[in-house]
Amino acid sequence: MTKSIDSLAWQEGFLNLGSAFFTPLKPTPLPDCLGGVVSQSVAKSIGLSSGWELDQHNLEVLTGNAHLENRPAYATVYSGHQFGVWAGQLGDGRAIHLGTVQNGDESYEIQLKGAGKTPYSRMGDGRAVLRSSIREFLCSEAMAGLSIPTTRALALTHSSAPVVREKVETAAVVTRVAPSFIRFGHFEHFASNQQYEDLKSLADFVIENHYSHLQDSEEPYLALLEEVIAKNAALVAKWQAVGFCHGVLNTDNMSILGLTLDYGPFSFIDATDLKYICNHSDSAGRYSYLNQPNVFHWNLVRLAEALLPLIAPGQDEALIDAKVEQLKELLFQFPHQYEHFYQEEMRLKLGLTQSENALVEELVLLLDHNRVDYTFFFRSLCDVVDTASIAAISVIKDLFLDQLGVDLWLQKYLAMIPSEKAKVIAAQMRRHNPKYILRQYLAQKAIENAENGDFGLVHQLHECLQKPYDEQLEFSEFAKLPPEWASQISVSCSS
C-alpha cells in the first residue's frame, strides 16, 4: 500500500494494444483544485493507504493539474449507435485515462472524467460540471453498495473554473475506476472500419485479461459473446429489480464486462411508473424503465454484428450463414436469461422459496397503476412479514388507492410465507430490499449545498449509501417518502 498516486503499481494495460486504439495526451489543467470527496474503499482496492487524500499532489493529479511521471495519459477511440442511429466515430470526449494499476491479482483502469478536450470531443469542451459529477460519484458508489456491477469513483475534485451548459456552472473531475472501460462501441469502431486485425487484437486483449478461462475454447469469440450476453442479462435484471433507470443506453455506454457504465441522466424510480423516462432528451421513450431489457438486447445484437468477422472469418458464405444462425440462437436466449435473472431477483425481494411469476406480475402492475413508491413499498413489506401487525399492513395499504387490489394480493402473498419462519425470512428480505437509494431530491439537495460550498450532505449520502440495506438510524431522514416537488426534477444528457 502507498500514499502516493505516482507509486501505485502502474502497468501498460490498454497501451499494449497500440496506437490505433488511443491518442496520447495530457489533461488540461484547471485554475485551482478545491478538493471534494473520496471513496476510501476504492482507494484501498487500487493500493492506496489511509491518508492518501491529504497529499495535495495526489488531488492535483486527479484534477489534471499534475501529471504522472513517465506515464502517458490517453483517450480511446470508439464508435457506436446513439438512440438507435449509427453515429460513427465517437471516443473519450472528456475522459482521459491515467492508465492501469495492478494490486494483487486485480487490475484497474483509472480515468479522469472532465479533464479537458481530447481529439474525440467533437463540439464539446471536454469538461464536466459539479452537478453531474456529484451525481456520478454518489450513484456509482451507491450501485456498488447495492452489489450491482458498476464502475467506481475514487474521487471528486472541483474548481472555480466556469463551464457553460444551460447556465454557467463550475468544473469538476471524477476519477473513475473499473477493471476495464472497454465498451461495445470499441468493437463497433474497428468492425465498421474493417480493421479486422485490430478487432481481433481487441477481442484477444479482453479475453486474455478479463475472460482468461475462454482462451482454450474452440471458438473463443463466440464464447466471449455468450458470456457478455449472460452478464448483461443479469445486470439489467438487477436494475429492473431495484428500480434503476439509466437514461442513455447507447452502444457506447455498454460495458464488455457487464458493468453499469456512464452515469448521465439516471434515476431511481420513486412513484412506480413502468413507462418512466428519466432523460428529458428522450422524447420517444427509447430508454424508458420498461424498455431497458429490450434495449440491452438490441445493443447485444449490434455487438454480435461487430464480432461476426472474428466468429466467421473469411469469405465462405455458407460458413457465414451458419454462424449467423448460431448468433441468432445465442441472442434468442437473452430474453429468457433476463426473465430468469429478474424472477430470481424478485423471489429474493419477496422472500419466497421459488419464483412466482404471476404473483410478481400482479404486484408490479398494482404498484404501477397506483403509482406506489417502489423502494418504500418493498422495504415496508419486510415489516409486514416480520410482524404481520395491523400497523405494518396499514402502512402498506395506505400507499394504494386500490385497497381491495392490494388486500387480495397480500392475502395470496402472505399465504406463501410460513409463519414459523417469518422473522428469518423478513431478515433475509432486508438484505435484498434497500432502505436507502440515491433519490433525485436528495442528490439535488446535495448539489445545491455543494454549489454553495457545503459538501456535508454529499459526504453523508456517500456514507449512508455504502450500506443501503442497514437501518442506520442516523440517516433515517434519507429513507422517507420524497416531497411532492421531487417529481418535477428533470435531468438530461447535459453535464
Side-chain angles (χ1 to χ4, degrees), residues 289-363:
Y289 168 74
L290 183 64
N291 206 38
Q292 289 186 134
N294 295 330
V295 172
F296 264 68
H297 194 190
W298 193 92
N299 289 342
L300 285 161
V301 174
R302 306 288 80 76
L303 177 64
E305 291 169 349
L307 288 173
L308 181 60
L310 303 182
I311 294 170
Q315 303 298 317
D316 186 331
E317 290 189 11
L319 172 64
I320 294 172
D321 288 344
K323 290 302 179 185
V324 166
E325 290 305 312
Q326 204 169 354
L327 290 177
K328 287 180 180 178
E329 183 61 32
L330 269 184
L331 292 160
F332 180 74
Q333 296 305 311
F334 174 83
H336 305 287
Q337 289 176 310
Y338 161 72
E339 187 64 23
H340 167 77
F341 287 126
Y342 176 72
Q343 291 297 336
E344 179 62 12
E345 292 290 332
M346 299 306 286
R347 180 188 72 78
L348 293 169
K349 288 175 77 70
L350 293 172
L352 300 173
T353 56
Q354 63 184 35
S355 297
E356 297 286 348
N357 298 25
L359 188 78
V360 169
E361 183 177 359
E362 184 182 350
L363 171 60

